[in-house]
C-alpha cells in the first residue's frame, strides 16, 4: 500500500490550522526522531541548565535529552546537533515556552532563541561595566561611607543582583533603537531601587541622600507627606549617545504592599500609549507602539500574591491590554527569611504565569552577557505579539533582607556560599580586562569618578531643595490641588441637549435586533418619559451625565463585572444584537445617529470632537481591576474612570488599592486622581455580603477634620446620593473641576426603579448643581418642626412615606446628608438652624451602629446643634456581620427602626403647645386658632440656642464645604 503524500495528509486535517509549510511537514516525517530530540530540548532544556549563581540548585541529567533514546547514536545517523542544542538550551540561560497554546507562537519563540545574534551587543559592554561599577560603588565603597554617617538606615541594596541594572538598560535600549518606543513605565521593587534610580534613571543623587538623611523628597514648601525611602519615585530620562531622542521613564509610585502596583502600571501604560497615539492620529496604531511597561517583582511575592495572577490574567484581555509588560522576577531565592521550599510548591517562582500563556526566560544573574540576550529576546517577543513575557533572573542578596539583618540566622549554608564569592560587577570587569575590552585604569577611573560625585552629592544634600516630578501632559491644563475649599460651579446642561442625549442613549443601530424585553422595559419607557417630559430614572440620568461629558470632549471608562448591562439589569449602555451578537454602544455614535429632537435641530457640530465611552465588562476580580483604573486616573485627568462593584461589598478585595493608593496617593506622592468607585449599597434582603459597601471604612480614610477648622479640600469625597439628578451632577462635577479627587459613591439598588426616586430634566438644567444637603421639601412652616431627622441615602424614602402617613408628620423635618466627605458643615448648619423650635435631633440609618455613617457624622453634627441638645441614634445595634441573613429578621428590624424614628412625637408637640400657652398668658394675647399657633410661636427657651452670635456657630459657618 502506497503511503499518503504530504499534501494528502494536510488535506486530511480540515479543522486544524496548519502553521507549517509542506516542506517543513515533509521534514518532520523524514526526521521524526531528530525532531523529538529537538522538542525535548525545547521542553526540558531548562531543567539541565546552570541557573543558580550559588550552585545550590544543580542542573539535572534529563533522560529525554539523550540522543540514544531516539536512536540517533548509530554511525549512519550521527548528527552534529547535540552540542548546538546544549549550547542553546542548557547553558546559563534557559526558556519555557512549550506550555503556550499557540503553535505559531511556540515556533516563533524557538526560532528566535535558536537564531538570535548578540554579537553586536559587545559594543555596549563598556556601558554595562559603568552601570555595574556604579552600582557596586553605591553599595560597597559608598555604603561604608554611609554606614558611618547613617548607620541605622535600611537601604535594601542590590548587592548580588546588580545585573538587573544591565537588564533594564538593554531592555530600554532595545525597545528604543529597534522599535521606536518613546516611553517606559517602570514598576520597581524595594530591592535596589535607589541604585536603579541613581545609576540609570537620573534621579538626582543629592535628593536621594537628602532622603537618606531624613529629609523629604518634595520641595521644602510642599504639603505632601512623602513616602518610605525604598518607595522613592521620580520620572526620569535615559539618553544614549547613538540615539537621536531620549526615552522618558515614568517610575511608578508604589504602596508598600507587595505587587500592588502591578495593575496600576498596566492601566497607566495603556492610557499613556493611547494618548500618544491620539496626538498623532495620522499614524496607524497598535497598543504598545509607543510605551513599554517594565515591572520588577520579588520571587516570593510573585509566587504568593493573588494580585499577580489577577493582573496576568487581566493583561491579555482586550480592554486591559497595554501591548505587553516585561516582567522581571528578581529571584534572590529567599523570601525575607523563608526558604523557597516554604514559599511555593512549584519549581520556579514564575510558574504562576504559565496559566496565562506567558513565555518565561530564566537566566543566571552572574552573567550580564546572558542577561542582555534575555532582554533582546523578550523585547522582540513583546513587540511581535504584544503580550507579556517574564525574565526570571536568578540572583542572591548579599546582606540579607536589609542592611540591619543577619541572614545567617536562617540561611547559614546560603550565606557561606555568598560570603565566599567575588561580586558580579568585579567578575564582569575581570572578564573584560582579560579579553582586552577594558583596561584596569579605565575601570578604576569609572569607580573613582562615581565615588567623588557621590561625595559631592552628600555635601549638596544638606541644602538642596528637590524639584517636583514631571506629570503627564494633560495635568498641566488643570490647576494644582486646591489648598482651600472652592465654590462649586453649576454642572447643569441645556435642556435640549439633555433631551437629545437621552433619546440617543436609547436608540439602537439601524437593523439591530435588540432583545424584546430590553425594547419593552428599557428603550420604550425611557423614550416615552423623555418625549412626555416626565421625571426620569437613575439609569437615564447616568446616561445623560456620560453623554454630555462625551459631547464636551471628555472620555469615560466604565469598568466592572457586567457593567454593560448593569448588575440589576438597569443600565443597558450597550446593546447586543440577538442575531449576530455584535455590540453597539449608542453613546459612542451621537455624531452619526439621527433623532427627532423637539426643535428638530441636528446634533451640534462640536460632537465630531466628542470623547468615547469604553464599556469594560471586566474579568471576575477586584483588586487588579481597581488598581488598573487607578492607573488610568493618574495618567489622564480628562478620562472619567469608574469602577463599579457588582455589589458594594465586593470592593473588599481591593482594600489594599483603596488604602495605599486611592485614599493616600495624593498625600504621599502628590498625585491627583479622579477615580470613581461606584458601590451599590442598601439593606434590602441581600444578606450579610450583598448589602454594604462599608461606608464607614471609606469615611475613616477621609482626613476631613472633626472640629471643622480646616478649610482645605479633603483627600477623598464620599457621597450617598438619593436622586438621579444628584448622581448626574456628581459625575459631571468630577470632570468639570480644575482639580481631581477620588470619589466614593454608595450607589443605588432599590432606588434604581423606585418611583419616588426620580428627577426631572429641569433638576439637571442650566444653573443646577450637586447639593451636599437636601432639605425636607414638604415643610410648609419651619417653626412647626419639633424633630429633625438626619439621614443619608435610600432610607429617606421609607421615612418620607411613614412621615406622610403619620398624623403628626408635619412636625418632622427629614434632612438628607448627601455628601459625607467633605462634611457639609455650613450647608447643614444653615438648614437645621431654620428649625428653631426643634428640640429633638436624630440620626437614622439602616446600617448597624458600628457601621454606616453615624460614627463619622455624629461628632461633626453635634458641633452644629443647639446647646444642651444631644444627637440621638436610631438604627440597628452593633453587629459583627453587616446584617442578618434571615429575611424575616431583616424585615422586622427595618420596621422597628423606621417606626422608632417617629416614636415620642406626641410629647414633643405637646411641649410646643404648652410653650405657646405660657407665652400667650404672659403677654395677655388673644388665643388664635390652635393649628396656626402651633406652627407660628417660637419658644423663648429654644430661641437662644440658635443665636448667630454664638462663637461655636460662627466657627462652623467659616468652615465652608463649597
Amino acid at each position: 500500500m502506497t503511503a499518503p503524500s504530504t499534501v494528502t495528509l494536510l488535506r486530511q486535517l480540515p479543522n486544524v490550522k496548519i502553521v507549517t509549510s509542506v516542506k517543513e511537514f515533509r521534514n518532520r516525517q523524514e526526521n521524526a526522531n531528530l525532531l523529538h530530540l529537538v522538542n525535548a530540548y525545547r521542553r526540558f532544556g531548562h531543567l539541565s541548565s546552570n541557573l543558580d549563581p550559588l550552585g545550590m540548585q544543580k542542573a539535572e541529567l534529563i533522560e529525554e535529552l539523550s540522543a540514544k533514546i531516539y536512536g540517533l547514536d548509530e554511525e549512519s545517523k550521527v548528527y552534529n546537533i547535540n552540542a548546538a542544542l546544549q549550547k542553546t538550551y542548557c547553558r546559563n540561560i534557559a526558556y519555557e515556552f512549550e506550555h503556550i497554546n499557540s503553535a505559531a507562537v511556540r515556533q516563533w519563540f524557538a526560532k528566535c532563541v535558536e537564531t538570535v545574534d548578540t554579537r553586536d551587543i559587545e559594543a555596549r559592554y563598556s556601558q554595562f561595566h559603568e552601570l555595574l561599577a556604579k552600582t557596586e560603588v553605591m553599595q560597597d565603597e559608598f555604603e561604608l561611607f554611609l554606614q558611618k554617617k547613617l548607620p541605622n538606615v535600611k537601604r535594601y541594596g542590590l548587592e548580588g543582583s546588580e545585573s538587573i541594572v544591565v537588564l533594564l538598560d538593554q531592555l530600554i535600549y532595545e525597545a528604543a533603537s529597534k522599535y521606536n518606543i518613546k516611553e517606559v513605565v517602570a514598576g520597581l521593587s524595594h530591592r535596589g531601587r535607589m541604585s536603579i534610580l541613581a545609576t540609570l534613571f537620573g534621579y538626582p543623587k543629592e535628593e536621594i541622600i537628602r532622603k537618606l538623611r531624613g529629609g523629604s523628597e518634595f520641595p521644602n514648601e510642599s504639603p505632601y507627606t512623602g513616602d518610605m525611602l525604598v518607595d522613592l519615585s521620580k520620572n526620569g530620562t535615559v539618553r544614549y549617545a547613538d540615539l537621536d531622542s531620549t526615552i522618558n521613564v515614568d517610575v511608578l509610585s508604589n504602596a508598600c504592599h507587595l505587587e500592588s502596583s502591578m495593575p496600576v502600571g498596566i492601566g497607566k501604560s495603556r492610557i499613556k500609549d493611547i494618548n500618544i497615539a491620539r496626538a498623532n492620529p495620522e499614524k496607524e496604531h497598535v497598543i504598545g507602539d509607543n510605551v513599554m511597561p517594565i515591572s520588577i517583582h520579588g520571587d516570593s511575592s510573585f509566587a504568593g500574591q493573588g494580585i499577580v495572577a489577577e493582573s496576568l490574567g487581566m493583561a491579555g484581555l482586550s480592554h486591559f491590554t497595554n501591548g505587553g509588560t516585561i516582567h522581571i522576577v528578581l529571584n534572590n531565592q529567599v523570601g525575607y527569611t523563608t526558604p523557597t521550599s516554604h514559599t511555593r510548591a512549584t519549581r520556579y517562582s514564575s510558574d504562576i504565569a504559565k496559566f496565562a500563556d506567558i513565555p518565561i526566560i530564566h537566566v543566571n544573574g552572574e552573567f550580564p552577557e546572558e542577561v542582555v540576550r534575555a532582554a533582546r529576546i523578550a523585547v522582540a517577543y513583546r513587540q511581535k505579539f504584544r503580550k507579556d513575557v517574564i525574565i526570571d533572573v536568578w540572583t542572591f542578596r548579599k546582606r540579607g533582607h536589609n542592611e540591619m539583618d543577619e541572614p545567617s540566622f536562617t540561611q547559614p549554608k546560603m550565606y557561606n556560599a555568598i560570603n565566599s564569592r567575588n561580586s558580579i560587577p568585579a567578575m564582569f570587569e575581570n572578564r573584560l580586562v582579560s579579553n582586552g575590552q577594558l583596561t584596569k585604569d579605565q575601570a578604576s577611573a569609572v569607580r573613582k569618578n562615581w565615588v567623588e560625585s557621590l561625595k559631592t552629592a552628600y555635601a549638596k544634600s544638606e541644602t538642596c531643595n528637590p524639584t517636583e516630578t514631571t506629570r503627564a501632559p494633560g495635568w498641566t491644563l488643570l490647576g494644582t490641588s486646591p489648598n482651600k475649599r472652592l465654590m462649586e460651579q453649576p454642572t447643569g446642561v441645556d435642556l435640549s441637549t439633555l433631551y437629545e442625549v437621552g433619546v440617543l442613549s436609547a436608540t439602537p443601530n439601524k437593523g439591530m435586533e435588540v432583545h424584546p424585553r430590553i425594547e419593552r422595559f428599557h428603550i420604550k419607557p425611557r423614550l416615552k418619559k423623555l418625549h412626555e417630559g416626565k421625571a426620569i430614572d437613575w439609569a437615564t440620568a447616568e446616561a445623560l451625565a456620560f453623554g454630555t461629558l462625551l459631547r464636551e470632549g471628555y472620555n469615560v471608562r466604565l469598568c466592572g463585572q457586567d457593567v454593560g448591562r448593569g448588575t440589576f439589569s438597569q443600565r443597558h449602555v450597550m446593546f447586543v444584537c440577538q442575531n449576530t451578537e455584535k455590540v453597539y454602544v449608542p453613546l459612542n455614535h451621537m455624531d452619526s445617529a439621527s433623532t427627532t429632537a423637539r426643535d428638530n435641530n441636528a446634533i451640534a457640530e462640536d460632537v465630531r470632537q466628542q470623547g468615547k465611552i469604553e464599556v469594560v465588562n471586566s474579568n471576575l476580580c477586584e483588586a487588579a481591576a481597581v488598581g488598573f483604573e487607578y492607573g488610568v486616573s493618574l495618567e489622564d485627568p480628562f478620562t472619567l474612570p469608574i469602577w463599579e462593584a457588582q455589589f458594594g461589598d465586593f470592593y473588599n478585595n481591593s482594600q489594599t488599592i483603596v488604602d495605599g493608593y486611592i485614599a493616600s496617593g495624593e498625600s504621599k506622592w502628590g498625585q491627583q486622581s479622579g477615580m470613581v468607585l461606584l458601590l451599590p449599597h442598601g439593606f434590602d434582603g441581600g444578606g450579610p455580603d450583598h448589602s454594604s459597601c462599608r461606608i464607614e471604612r471609606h469615611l475613616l480614610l477621609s482626613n476631613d477634620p472633626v472640629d471643622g477648622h480646616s478649610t482645605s479640600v479633603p483627600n477623598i469625597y464620599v457621597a450617598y446620593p438619593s436622586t438621579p439628578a444628584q448622581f448626574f451632577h456628581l459625575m459631571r462635577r468630577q470632570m468639570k473641576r480644575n482639580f481631581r479627587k477620588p470619589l466614593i459613591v454608595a450607589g443605588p439598588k432599590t432606588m434604581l426603579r423606585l418611583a419616588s426616586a426620580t428627577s426631572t430634566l429641569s433638576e439637571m438644567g442650566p444653573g443646577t448643581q450637586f447639593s451636599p444637603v437636601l432639605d425636607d421639601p414638604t415643610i410648609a412652616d419651619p417653626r412647626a418642626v419639633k424633630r429633625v431627622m438626619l439621614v443619608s441615602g435610600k432610607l429617606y424614602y421609607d421615612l418620607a412615606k411613614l412621615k406622610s402617613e403619620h398624623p403628626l408628620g408635619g412636625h418632622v423635618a427629614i434632612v438628607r446628608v448627601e455628601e459625607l466627605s467633605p462634611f457639609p458643615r455650613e450647608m447643614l448648619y444653615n438648614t437645621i438652624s431654620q428649625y428653631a423650635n426643634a428640640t429633638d435631633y436624630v440620626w437614622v440609618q439602616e446600617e448597624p451602629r458600628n457601621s454606616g455613617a453615624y460614627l463619622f457624622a455624629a461628632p461633626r453634627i453635634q458641633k452644629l446643634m443647639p446647646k444642651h441638645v444631644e444627637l440621638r441614634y436610631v438604627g440597628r445595634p452593633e453587629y459583627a456581620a453587616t446584617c442578618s441573613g434571615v429575611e424575616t429578621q431583616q424585615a422586622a428590624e427595618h420596621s422597628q427602626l423606621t417606626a422608632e424614628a417617629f416614636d415620642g412625637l406626641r410629647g414633643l408637640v405637646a411641649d410646643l403647645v404648652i410653650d405657646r400657652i405660657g407665652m400667650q398668658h404672659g403677654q395677655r394675647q388673644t388665643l388664635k386658632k390652635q393649628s396656626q399657633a402651633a406652627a407660628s410661636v417660637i419658644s423663648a427657651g429654644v430661641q437662644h440656642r440658635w443665636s448667630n452670635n454664638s462663637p461655636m456657630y460662627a466657627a462652623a459657618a467659616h468652615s465652608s464645604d463649597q
Side-chain angles (χ1 to χ4, degrees), residues 137-169:
V137 166
M138 284 198 72
Q139 299 158 166
D140 193 352
E141 299 176 49
F142 193 63
E143 183 73 31
L144 296 176
F145 176 76
L146 290 177
Q147 194 67 30
K148 295 176 183 178
K149 303 282 186 179
L150 308 165
N152 298 316
V153 178
K154 298 176 182 178
R155 293 174 285 279
Y156 297 87
L158 201 58
E159 300 98 316
S161 305
E162 295 93 341
S163 54
I164 292 294
V165 181
V166 170
L167 176 57
L168 287 170
D169 178 70

Side-chain angles (χ1 to χ4, degrees), residues 11 119 176 189 228 250 316 380 456 643 740 742 748 817 837:
R11 288 173 177 169
R119 287 174 296 180
S189 62
M228 291 175 60
D250 191 336
T456 301
W643 181 79
R740 298 288 179 261
V817 182
N837 278 344

Side-chain angles (χ1 to χ4, degrees), residues 99-286:
H99 59 276
I100 297 174
N101 287 321
S102 169
V105 173
R106 294 196 303 271
Q107 288 183 17
W108 180 93
F109 207 93
K111 184 177 181 180
C112 181
V113 166
E114 292 161 12
T115 62
V116 64
D117 187 357
T118 59
R119 287 174 296 180
D120 62 309
I121 292 180
E122 291 187 11
R124 304 199 70 240
Y125 278 7
S126 61
Q127 163 79 355
F128 301 153
H129 168 263
E130 183 175 340
L131 289 170
L132 290 169
K134 288 180 177 180
T135 301
E136 185 171 40
V137 166
M138 284 198 72
Q139 299 158 166
D140 193 352
E141 299 176 49
F142 193 63
E143 183 73 31
L144 296 176
F145 176 76
L146 290 177
Q147 194 67 30
K148 295 176 183 178
K149 303 282 186 179
L150 308 165
N152 298 316
V153 178
K154 298 176 182 178
R155 293 174 285 279
Y156 297 87
L158 201 58
E159 300 98 316
S161 305
E162 295 93 341
S163 54
I164 292 294
V165 181
V166 170
L167 176 57
L168 287 170
D169 178 70
Q170 185 62 33
L171 287 171
I172 297 171
Y173 180 81
E174 198 82 19
S177 61
K178 290 188 175 180
Y179 303 101
N180 198 31
I181 290 294
K182 299 175 179 61
E183 300 209 24
V184 168
V185 173
L188 306 180
S189 62
H190 286 173
R191 188 152 312 283
R193 193 181 192 95
M194 285 184 291
S195 293
I196 293 168
L197 290 173
T199 59
L200 184 58
F201 294 160
Y203 199 119
K205 297 185 289 297
E206 60 271 19
E207 293 184 19
I208 293 178
I209 298 172
R210 169 186 158 114
K211 184 69 176 177
L212 281 165
R213 301 177 70 165
S216 173
E217 63 268 40
F218 290 103
N220 296 331
E221 63 279 4
S222 174
Y224 306 124
T225 61
D227 204 348
M228 291 175 60
L229 176 67
V230 291
D231 284 329
L232 275 179
S233 60
K234 176 175 280 191
N235 295 346
T237 56
V238 179
R239 295 176 176 84
Y240 297 104
D242 56 336
L243 299 183
D244 293 334
S245 59
T246 59
I247 300 91
N248 296 319
V249 181
D250 191 336
V251 180
L252 290 174
S253 297
N254 177 48
C256 206
H257 199 287
L258 295 170
E259 307 298 342
S260 60
S261 68
M262 186 176 176
V264 178
I266 301 173
K268 200 173 197 298
S269 56
R270 173 184 169 90
I271 200 71
K272 185 186 287 286
D273 190 88
I274 290 173
N275 283 347
I276 292 174
R278 283 174 178 158
N280 300 277
E282 70 282 355
K283 293 184 180 179
E284 187 177 349
H285 174 247
V286 177

Side-chain angles (χ1 to χ4, degrees), residues 9 91 98 103 107 166 183 392 457 482 527 566 577 612 615 675:
L9 286 171
R91 51 192 285 172
E98 285 295 301
Q107 288 183 17
V166 170
E183 300 209 24
D392 177 24
L527 294 177
C577 181
K612 293 292 183 182
V615 183
M675 175 81 182

Side-chain angles (χ1 to χ4, degrees), residues 848-955:
R849 187 170 185 147
N850 59 326
S851 303
Y854 172 69
L855 294 177
F856 179 87
R860 291 162 173 81
I861 295 171
Q862 191 66 56
K863 291 180 179 297
L864 306 179
M865 286 172 48
K867 297 175 182 177
H868 315 302
V869 177
E870 294 292 327
L871 179 70
R872 292 194 300 115
Y873 169 80
V874 171
R876 288 176 169 84
E878 291 80 358
Y879 270 12
T882 303
C883 63
S884 172
V886 180
E887 189 173 351
T888 53
Q889 180 183 347
Q890 175 89 346
E893 290 174 348
H894 188 80
S895 296
Q896 180 181 342
L897 76 89
T898 51
E900 184 183 343
F902 291 90
D903 284 350
L905 264 182
R906 189 174 301 278
L908 291 174
V909 174
D911 288 343
L912 181 65
V913 174
I914 292 171
D915 247 359
R916 180 189 60 79
I917 292 174
M919 182 175 288
Q920 286 177 327
H921 178 74
Q923 297 175 350
R924 300 181 178 275
Q925 294 181 347
T926 304
L927 182 66
K928 297 182 179 179
K929 291 182 179 180
Q930 185 173 353
S931 60
Q932 295 175 340
S936 62
V937 179
I938 301 176
S939 166
V942 173
Q943 192 174 29
H944 78 277
R945 299 172 186 162
W946 289 112
S947 171
N948 287 330
N949 296 323
S950 168
M952 176 173 62
Y953 301 128

Side-chain angles (χ1 to χ4, degrees), residues 629-890:
E629 302 307 322
Y630 176 77
V632 170
S633 75
L634 295 183
E635 183 62 29
D636 188 358
F638 298 105
T639 290
L640 175 62
I642 302 171
W643 181 79
E644 180 182 67
Q646 273 193 345
F647 290 88
D649 317 59
F650 295 178
Y651 100 93
N652 288 352
N653 284 345
S654 65
Q655 190 72 53
T656 295
I657 304 297
V658 174
D659 290 354
Y661 295 86
I662 294 174
S664 59
E666 183 176 3
S667 177
K668 292 187 293 187
W669 310 314
Q671 294 180 340
Q672 292 185 50
S673 164
M675 175 81 182
V676 176
L677 292 184
L678 184 53
L679 310 177
H681 176 88
F683 286 46
D684 38 33
D689 300 314
H690 291 75
S691 299
S692 176
C693 75
R694 294 291 190 179
I695 292 174
E696 66 279 0
R697 289 185 186 169
H698 302 293
L699 292 174
L700 283 173
L701 293 172
S702 168
N703 65 359
D704 181 86
V706 175
D707 59 21
H709 290 158
S710 172
T711 59
S712 62
V713 178
N715 58 321
I716 56 173
Y717 279 67
V718 181
Y720 192 0
S722 62
T723 73
Q726 288 280 81
F727 182 73
F728 167 88
H729 290 300
L730 271 176
M731 294 298 100
R732 285 186 52 79
R733 185 183 75 173
Q734 196 70 358
M735 289 287 98
K736 300 300 288 184
R737 290 167 160 168
N738 66 346
F739 65 94
R740 298 288 179 261
K741 293 282 183 176
L743 170 64
I744 314 296
V745 180
K749 291 164 64 181
T750 56
M751 282 191 290
L752 290 169
R753 293 183 175 86
L754 191 63
S756 51
T758 56
S759 299
T760 63
L761 289 186
S762 63
E763 294 175 73
M764 294 166 263
T768 59
Q769 65 189 79
F770 176 76
S771 178
V773 176
L774 291 180
D775 197 4
D776 192 326
T778 67
I779 299 299
D781 187 349
R783 293 171 294 180
V785 171
K786 287 295 292 180
R787 174 173 294 165
V788 175
M789 290 184 193
L790 298 162
V791 66
S792 195
K794 84 170 186 70
L795 186 59
Y796 163 78
Y797 293 101
D798 296 327
L799 296 174
K801 184 175 185 297
L802 287 176
K803 174 186 170 176
S804 68
E805 298 168 351
H806 199 288
L808 299 176
H811 298 283
V812 176
I814 306 177
V815 177
R816 283 170 277 178
V817 182
E818 300 274 288
E819 186 168 73
L820 295 154
S821 174
F823 196 73
R825 293 170 178 82
E826 182 178 4
M827 185 172 287
L828 184 59
Y829 169 74
N830 291 336
T831 301
I832 65 177
S833 62
Q834 67 180 312
Y835 301 119
N837 278 344
T839 58
D840 191 31
Y841 295 82
V842 187
W843 177 270
V844 191
Q845 68 178 36
E846 58 181 356
E847 300 88 359
R849 187 170 185 147
N850 59 326
S851 303
Y854 172 69
L855 294 177
F856 179 87
R860 291 162 173 81
I861 295 171
Q862 191 66 56
K863 291 180 179 297
L864 306 179
M865 286 172 48
K867 297 175 182 177
H868 315 302
V869 177
E870 294 292 327
L871 179 70
R872 292 194 300 115
Y873 169 80
V874 171
R876 288 176 169 84
E878 291 80 358
Y879 270 12
T882 303
C883 63
S884 172
V886 180
E887 189 173 351
T888 53
Q889 180 183 347
Q890 175 89 346

